[in-house]
Amino acid sequence: MLRNEMYSKKPILVILAAGMASRYGSAKQVECFGPFGEKIIDYSIYDAIKAGFGKVVFVIREEFLEVMKTNVGDKLPDSVEVAYAYQDFDLKKFGVDRVVERQKPWGTGHAVMSAEQEVDRPFCVINADDFYGYDAFQKMATFLQNQANDKEMALVGFEVGNTLSDFGYVSRGVCEVNATNHLQSVTERTNIYRKDSDIVYAQEEKETVLPGNTRVSMNFWGFTPKIFEIARALFPDFVEQNHENPKAEFFIPDLPDYMVKQGIANFSVLPTDAKWFGVTYKEDKDQVQQSIHQLIECGDYPQRLWPEKKVVDESIYLDF
């Protein structure tokens, strides 16, 4: 595809929905939170379409295809292109000959790589079970349509204090940002939680305090297809170094961190003071439902997100 053609199309939304939901204990991607059975993922797609995205790619495990189509994909407006990509254990398609026995795929970076065949222009990556709000989608859509290129990419930076769960620790990509709002580094921290009046992360039995306004990645990234080239270059070495570690994950932040430090690309940190919410733990569900109800009451969302589609019985035309 020619560059001008690639950038003339609406950006793509890639949704990571292949997680096993081990801590939540069920398929949280299709849990109902809105008054007409809407999922968190529905609100993200609604905001994305409103902001100007034109295609949605779901990265899922293949066995979840019918569940995802029935509960989400088939309900979307016909004006939106929908595609599905599978995250699985086949490493050969990424240039890795080694066979590794694992219970879970290789993480969010691996999930993004799995969407490559469905992505041909600037795109945004989000988690299926996170509620980000319209502001994040609007800022990212504007960036992807007007500023993104192979040397200029972005992420939406949330304040860490606006992204925590009341029911346990969370994982966040902690960002170091310079005076011009460009990313300097991003470090995945897997044990962040509130302790008294502080926010801390634990590592090797040591707790470190994080200021409440620290910018963190919520896996809300803006890329061009250049990211696939970088991922393919780094992933084989990662597998080789971690093939005996069943919990090792190839995280998305590893890719921008490498690109920034190698001078390959800049990443603008698009700030938002919106309050993120999501379902990391089962106990989060009531709080999320209440938050969505309040947003509907304020008029930010309609009572029903998607009009019901009419089902046509094609058998009535068989005699013609």
Side-chain angles (χ1 to χ4, degrees):
M1 178 179 292
L2 296 176
R3 186 183 187 281
N4 288 343
E5 182 181 353
M6 179 172 71
Y7 283 85
S8 67
K9 292 186 175 183
K10 292 182 177 181
I12 295 172
L13 179 66
V14 174
I15 302 177
L16 307 185
M20 294 182 69
S22 57
R23 281 180 292 179
Y24 189 50
S26 64
K28 59 182 174 179
Q29 290 89 347
V30 294
E31 278 277 3
C32 299
F33 293 92
F36 288 89
E38 291 89 353
K39 292 77 178 164
I40 290 179
I41 197 173
D42 285 308
Y43 290 95
S44 291
I45 297 170
Y46 180 89
D47 284 335
I49 294 171
K50 181 179 176 182
F53 286 82
K55 178 179 179 179
V56 178
V57 179
F58 298 98
V59 180
I60 60 174
R61 289 160 58 188
E62 187 170 3
E63 58 265 36
F64 290 163
L65 175 60
E66 290 306 316
V67 172
M68 190 59 68
K69 288 180 67 176
T70 301
N71 285 273
V72 184
D74 289 350
K75 296 181 180 180
L76 301 184
D78 294 335
S79 59
V80 179
E81 185 180 354
V82 177
Y84 300 88
Y86 302 136
Q87 185 180 13
D88 54 35
F89 297 95
D90 179 12
L91 299 179
K92 290 184 178 180
K93 56 189 175 183
F94 304 117
V96 179
D97 291 331
R98 183 184 291 276
V99 176
V100 182
E101 297 294 332
R102 289 172 62 97
Q103 291 185 331
K104 297 174 64 175
W106 287 87
T108 53
H110 177 231
V112 171
M113 294 170 66
S114 302
E116 181 174 3
Q117 298 305 312
E118 295 295 341
V119 175
D120 61 357
R121 54 190 182 269
F123 67 104
C124 171
V125 175
I126 66 168
N127 294 331
D129 49 358
D130 290 352
F131 183 98
Y132 299 101
Y134 175 71
D135 182 63
F137 289 97
Q138 188 275 324
K139 287 179 176 176
M140 182 58 77
T142 299
F143 180 90
L144 293 177
Q145 290 172 318
N146 298 301
Q147 295 175 254
N149 59 61
D150 287 351
K151 293 186 178 297
E152 297 292 336
M153 305 187 199
L155 74 152
V156 174
F158 287 76
E159 296 182 3
V160 67
N162 287 337
T163 73
L164 302 181
S165 170
D166 293 333
F167 302 102
Y169 67 85
V170 298
S171 298
R172 301 288 180 257
V174 177
C175 302
E176 180 185 351
V177 185
N178 67 14
T180 60
N181 278 335
H182 283 94
L183 184 70
Q184 298 298 288
S185 67
V186 57
T187 305
E188 188 76 10
R189 301 297 185 189
T190 56
N191 292 281
I192 302 177
Y193 50 90
R194 294 189 189 275
K195 184 177 182 181
D196 300 324
S197 59
D198 291 327
I199 299 170
V200 302
Y201 71 87
Q203 185 177 24
E204 297 179 353
E205 300 183 357
K206 179 184 177 181
E207 293 181 334
T208 302
V209 174
L210 285 174
N213 62 354
T214 299
R215 294 291 169 183
V216 296
S217 162
M218 300 302 300
N219 270 349
F220 201 117
W221 294 93
F223 298 125
T224 70
K226 175 74 172 179
I227 198 72
F228 300 122
E229 175 187 327
I230 302 301
R232 282 181 171 274
L234 298 181
F235 186 60
D237 285 343
F238 182 87
V239 172
E240 190 62 30
Q241 294 171 14
N242 294 278
H243 67 273
E244 294 182 348
N245 180 359
K247 295 185 178 181
E249 294 189 49
F250 189 58
F251 291 118
I252 290 176
D254 294 339
L255 303 174
D257 190 60
Y258 173 84
M259 295 172 74
V260 168
K261 291 176 179 176
Q262 295 298 316
I264 297 171
N266 295 315
F267 279 79
S268 294
V269 179
L270 311 177
T272 181
D273 58 3
K275 180 172 174 53
W276 167 97
F277 52 88
V279 184
T280 305
Y281 299 91
K282 207 172 186 69
E283 293 84 354
D284 290 319
K285 181 176 180 179
D286 288 345
Q287 190 172 35
V288 172
Q289 286 178 320
Q290 292 173 14
S291 297
I292 288 176
H293 177 74
Q294 291 172 359
L295 291 169
I296 293 172
E297 290 294 309
C298 291
D300 291 342
Y301 298 99
Q303 284 281 336
R304 183 190 289 274
L305 285 186
W306 314 121
E308 290 187 278
K309 290 186 176 181
K310 294 182 180 180
V311 178
V312 178
D313 183 359
E314 295 182 353
S315 65
I316 64 176
Y317 300 107
L318 293 179
D319 292 333
F320 291 87

